[in-house]
Amino acid sequence: MDVFFRCGLPRSGSTLLTSILEQNEYFHCETSGALISALSVAWRSFTLNATSSKYEMTDLSPRRDALAGLFFGYFKGCNKQAVISNDHHWTRISIPLLESIIQKKLKMIVTVRAPHEILASFEKMRLENPLECNFDEVTNGTSTIGSRSDYFNNPAGVIGSPYGHLYDNVIQGYSDRLLFIDYNKLCHDPDKQMRRIYNFLELPYFKHDFKNVPQSNIVFHSSHLGGHFNNQHDVRSTVEPNKYAYENYIGKYYMERQMNSFPM
């Protein structure tokens, strides 16, 4: 069974891409937040445990075997030929560590989108869900467009964190493991972007139906957004560009600030 990874920025088409990929029976798409947490805890325990035996310190293969057992055991029930493990936070685990676990060069699909569009998408979703969303607690009772953008953009935030880890991987020379899929390019020409994905994964192309995209079967959580939005991961049945004006949701100043906050 092949295992591929999908990570990226929020509101960048990850659910849309997953829904498209699920049309191909070759793939099993799985959200993997719990697996990432379990691997992080296990790896931290191995590296920080002061009582490690001399044997373990001279032969680290038991560590790798334990982490590999956790990783592949998570997908043991999968009956498809390939798994695409989905989560924005896969880049929190270093690529060398992941490659030592899977014992080969990894392939990671990275969905991206312009930062001002991400902020506008969050704001649009917040306005459409007034009974579900409350940012007062995470912004110290001062929920404004400014405080919300600061909350999203900070190094531990929902935009800042995945961006920082992706930027880290690029400057450390791992770009050849990453395939960046721009949200707008996917919406404007889905066939071209899907062909890029199949070429990157070294798999034969599958003809997708971009006018009949089903809702993804995988479940996402959104506690970091000050609420759980029922429509956060809904996808339109037809792949097409967004038609709303981003400036209407965040204004010209915050559009420019977002674009200047994150070098692309």
Side-chain angles (χ1 to χ4, degrees):
M1 179 182 67
D2 289 325
V3 179
F4 306 113
F5 300 85
R6 203 287 312 158
C7 71
L9 301 178
R11 312 302 300 162
S12 62
S14 58
T15 310
L16 172 61
L17 179 58
T18 297
S19 297
I20 294 171
L21 286 167
E22 285 182 333
Q23 292 179 336
N24 187 346
E25 289 295 320
Y26 186 86
F27 295 120
H28 170 75
C29 298
E30 176 72 46
T31 182
S32 303
L35 174 59
I36 294 172
S37 297
L39 286 172
S40 297
V41 170
W43 177 73
R44 180 177 174 83
S45 178
F46 283 135
T47 56
L48 297 182
N49 189 348
T51 61
S52 297
S53 67
K54 292 182 179 179
Y55 166 75
E56 184 188 358
M57 297 309 295
T58 56
D59 179 8
L60 297 179
S61 60
R63 289 187 183 184
R64 192 213 74 81
D65 292 344
L67 293 171
L70 179 60
F71 180 88
F72 289 106
Y74 188 83
F75 303 111
K76 188 175 181 180
C78 174
N79 59 1
K80 301 290 183 69
Q81 292 175 276
V83 167
I84 297 181
S85 181
N86 289 276
D87 199 273
H88 291 313
H89 299 298
W90 266 122
T91 49
R92 285 184 177 178
I93 299 181
S94 74
I95 287 179
L97 177 60
L98 282 175
E99 291 186 338
S100 72
I101 292 172
I102 65 175
Q103 291 289 284
K104 64 179 181 180
K105 186 175 179 179
L106 67 78
K107 293 179 181 290
M108 187 174 289
I109 303 166
V110 184
T111 53
V112 295
R113 190 178 186 182
H116 69 283
E117 295 182 12
I118 297 174
L119 179 61
S121 180
F122 277 136
E123 285 299 294
K124 180 176 182 292
M125 188 170 57
R126 181 184 66 85
L127 293 172
E128 292 174 349
N129 296 271
L131 297 178
E132 298 177 71
C133 177
N134 180 3
F135 282 95
D136 282 348
E137 183 175 348
V138 295
T139 57
N140 296 317
T142 59
S143 181
T144 65
I145 179 62
S147 63
R148 290 189 296 274
S149 66
D150 289 341
Y151 170 67
F152 291 139
N153 293 346
N154 80 78
V158 68
I159 299 175
S161 176
Y163 175 88
H165 287 98
L166 285 169
Y167 189 75
D168 222 34
N169 282 316
V170 170
I171 64 175
Q172 290 180 24
Y174 293 111
S175 296
D176 61 330
R177 275 84 159 171
L178 311 175
L179 176 68
F180 291 94
I181 298 295
D182 180 86
Y183 172 73
N184 290 306
K185 291 180 180 179
L186 177 63
C187 291
H188 278 90
D189 193 347
D191 184 74
K192 181 177 180 179
Q193 297 306 309
M194 294 307 296
R195 288 182 184 277
R196 290 182 64 226
I197 289 174
Y198 281 96
N199 183 60
F200 175 68
L201 299 181
E202 300 179 273
L203 294 173
Y205 184 66
F206 176 88
K207 187 173 178 57
H208 292 273
D209 183 355
F210 302 116
K211 294 185 178 181
N212 187 28
V213 179
Q215 292 292 324
S216 173
N217 293 318
I218 66 175
V219 178
F220 297 88
H221 301 284
S222 55
S223 58
H224 54 276
L225 300 181
H228 297 275
F229 303 128
N230 290 327
N231 64 344
Q232 183 187 354
H233 295 286
D234 289 351
V235 298
R236 297 186 296 271
S237 59
T238 299
V239 182
E240 59 186 3
N242 282 324
K243 298 178 181 178
Y244 63 88
Y246 304 115
E247 189 173 343
N248 291 346
Y249 292 94
I250 61 176
K252 184 176 180 180
Y253 171 79
Y254 285 101
M255 282 185 64
E256 294 177 352
R257 195 177 87 154
Q258 284 295 104
M259 288 187 282
N260 293 331
S261 295
F262 300 96
M264 300 296 287

